[in-house]
Amino acid sequence: MSNYTHYFGAGPAALPLEVKQQIESDINEYQNTGVSILELSHRSDEFFQLLHEARELLRDIYSIPQHYHIVFMAGGATLQFDAVALNLAGNFKYASYLDTGFWSRKAGSLASKYVDIKYVQGLVTDTKQICCIDCSDWHVDSESAYLHITPNETIYGVEFVGVCNTNVPIVADLTSSMLMQNIDVANYGLLYAAAQKSLGIAGLSVVILRDDLLTRVSEKTPDLLRYDLHVEHHSIVNTAPVFACYVTNLMLNWIKQQGGLDVMVQQAQQRSSLLYEAIDANDKFTNNICTNNRSTINVAFDAQDQQVIKQLLNDAESQGLLGLQGHRHAGGIRASMYNGTPIKAVENLAELIRSA
Ligand code: PMP
């Protein structure tokens, strides 16, 4: 294997080198505290300060209005599938879920334990291509507690950006697109993401929610899934996942230093264009997502001849380009390129795709 390696895995995902170097140093000792970041108390002033900094950074980078709360909760996005319904369904008859693929359906199926679900068609399926339906054509029941959407479907690499006005709050699963899409937080009721892709490591979710939605929580909600309790206790309800929060804070600092959201979005477009151009230039490879809905984050593609896929994976590995195997449901190849992905690694991969 070459000396240069880059990991294209879908999550846990590549962290920027600078972030890994800082972690190495803070594992020795965190900010003259005499303890490692791995040992830092969740009740220490340093941790309180760290969470405060992370909240302020996220608010700044995403221009989050003051009437939105930012919460850090243990557990991944699948736990949020339950949390969203338990906290927001209230006494409503239904919740609506835009169906754009695997993750949106999974979110709906877990929520259906607590509230009746209406799926809203989000994809056009009657052509050879997969295309997202424009938000002006979503049919959302106005009696829904909320509309849940998944703007980037990680497995097949389907993405849409932006939403239309609806008369129900929009809840977005940004697990594979947080801080990688230009969105206006004010158009949403709640946004959440597990941290292990664009925001750090596994074990933590970040939730951004509008103040008025806090009152809908069902009394049967476990304490640790209650957004109102996390807001009240500044995300320290019990022993918080200190290390995961710390890495997210490093990532937010890093994103800010790189130039913030616009730079992240522009780099995602640059990286994905390099790959799609290479895929389209080589007729051995296929990608059947509508041009406008090709993910700028997870580029998934396949080939008629599986030998070509096998060979590309081998060649990539020998050049230190790792983690390119497609999802177990999809096969083929998937390059997941979150914020920590350097352009050089993508250029190398594009070259391999062209010459395959
Ligand atoms: N939503 C999306 C869009 C995802 O990509 C994933 C994980 N790949 C999840 C939810 C589930 O996340 P977790 O494994 O943290 O529960």
Side-chain angles (χ1 to χ4, degrees):
M1 195 182 294
S2 87
N3 287 333
Y4 176 78
T5 61
H6 177 75
Y7 181 57
F8 284 93
L15 292 168
L17 185 63
E18 297 90 325
V19 167
K20 288 191 279 197
Q21 285 168 340
Q22 186 64 47
I23 293 171
E24 230 178 290
S25 148
D26 291 336
I27 280 182
N28 268 332
E29 183 183 0
Y30 183 67
Q31 291 189 354
N32 297 321
T33 52
V35 298
S36 158
I37 184 62
L38 298 172
E39 302 158 337
L40 189 73
S41 165
H42 64 293
R43 300 282 173 207
S44 63
D45 288 347
E46 286 80 7
F47 183 59
F48 196 81
Q49 178 52 34
L50 182 161
L51 279 187
H52 175 71
E53 184 176 307
R55 266 191 299 268
E56 291 305 300
L57 279 165
L58 187 57
R59 196 175 288 285
D60 178 40
I61 297 168
Y62 245 158
S63 305
I64 301 174
Q66 287 304 325
H67 62 295
Y68 282 74
H69 302 281
I70 299 170
V71 158
F72 300 98
M73 283 171 77
T78 308
L79 195 59
Q80 292 301 319
F81 295 164
D82 289 78
V84 163
L86 283 163
N87 281 275
L88 298 194
N91 296 322
F92 286 81
K93 258 176 129 171
Y94 315 106
S96 292
Y97 279 71
L98 185 74
D99 181 358
T100 45
F102 181 88
W103 289 113
S104 55
R105 267 178 242 137
K106 180 142 190 207
S109 103
L110 291 206
S112 68
K113 288 177 289 185
Y114 315 106
V115 59
D116 285 344
I117 299 302
K118 287 198 170 183
Y119 284 102
V120 176
Q121 192 182 344
L123 293 179
V124 181
T125 49
D126 58 354
T127 66
K128 281 190 177 160
Q129 281 202 315
I130 297 176
C131 305
C132 293
I133 293 178
D134 188 80
C135 60
S136 55
D137 290 322
W138 295 347
H139 297 293
V140 184
D141 191 310
S142 59
E143 290 186 49
S144 302
Y146 56 85
L147 168 67
H148 180 282
I149 64 172
T150 309
N152 187 65
E153 284 278 0
T154 323
I155 296 179
Y156 291 94
V158 180
E159 179 181 3
F160 63 90
V161 184
V163 288
C164 303
N165 274 338
T166 56
N167 50 8
V168 303
I170 297 180
V171 173
D173 173 4
L174 299 187
T175 295
S176 54
S177 53
M178 186 167 263
L179 295 181
M180 300 197 70
Q181 287 182 324
N182 241 327
I183 59 161
D184 182 356
V185 171
N187 290 334
Y188 298 80
L190 188 150
L191 304 145
Y192 67 91
Q196 67 268 20
K197 299 176 192 286
S198 61
L199 266 187
I201 61 166
L204 181 73
S205 289
V206 177
V207 181
I208 303 166
L209 83 157
R210 218 172 57 204
D211 185 60
D212 61 290
L213 297 174
L214 285 175
T215 55
R216 294 183 178 190
V217 62
S218 151
E219 282 312 315
K220 62 184 173 207
T221 309
D223 277 6
L224 290 176
L225 288 187
R226 287 183 68 131
Y227 297 138
D228 58 345
L229 271 189
H230 281 271
V231 168
E232 188 186 333
H233 295 280
H234 307 283
S235 303
I236 312 177
V237 177
N238 68 331
T239 311
V242 174
F243 186 68
C245 292
Y246 152 81
V247 180
T248 291
N249 189 40
L250 289 185
M251 274 306 291
L252 289 166
N253 272 290
W254 182 85
I255 289 168
K256 173 100 187 183
Q257 277 159 19
Q258 303 303 303
L261 186 60
D262 288 346
V263 173
M264 294 300 110
V265 172
Q266 186 224 321
Q267 287 181 355
Q269 278 160 0
Q270 196 188 347
R271 287 188 293 252
S272 56
S273 297
L274 274 172
L275 291 196
Y276 288 122
E277 278 162 23
I279 292 163
D280 292 343
N282 185 338
D283 57 16
K284 290 188 184 127
F285 295 114
T286 54
N287 168 286
N288 64 346
I289 314 294
C290 270
T291 318
N292 287 343
N293 302 123
R294 283 175 156 186
S295 174
T296 55
I297 303 158
N298 310 95
V299 174
F301 58 103
D302 212 337
Q304 293 285 355
D305 181 354
Q306 287 306 301
Q307 198 49 41
V308 174
I309 294 292
K310 220 171 146 189
Q311 188 62 47
L312 182 58
L313 286 171
N314 281 341
D315 293 346
E317 193 169 326
S318 65
Q319 292 206 16
L321 305 176
L322 312 175
L324 285 161
Q325 187 81 50
H327 187 275
R328 61 188 190 283
H329 290 140
I333 288 181
R334 175 176 56 169
S336 294
M337 302 179 291
Y338 304 107
N339 288 328
T341 308
I343 198 83
K344 179 179 186 302
V346 183
E347 283 168 351
N348 292 355
L349 178 58
E351 191 45 48
L352 280 181
I353 294 170
R354 276 181 197 279
S355 58

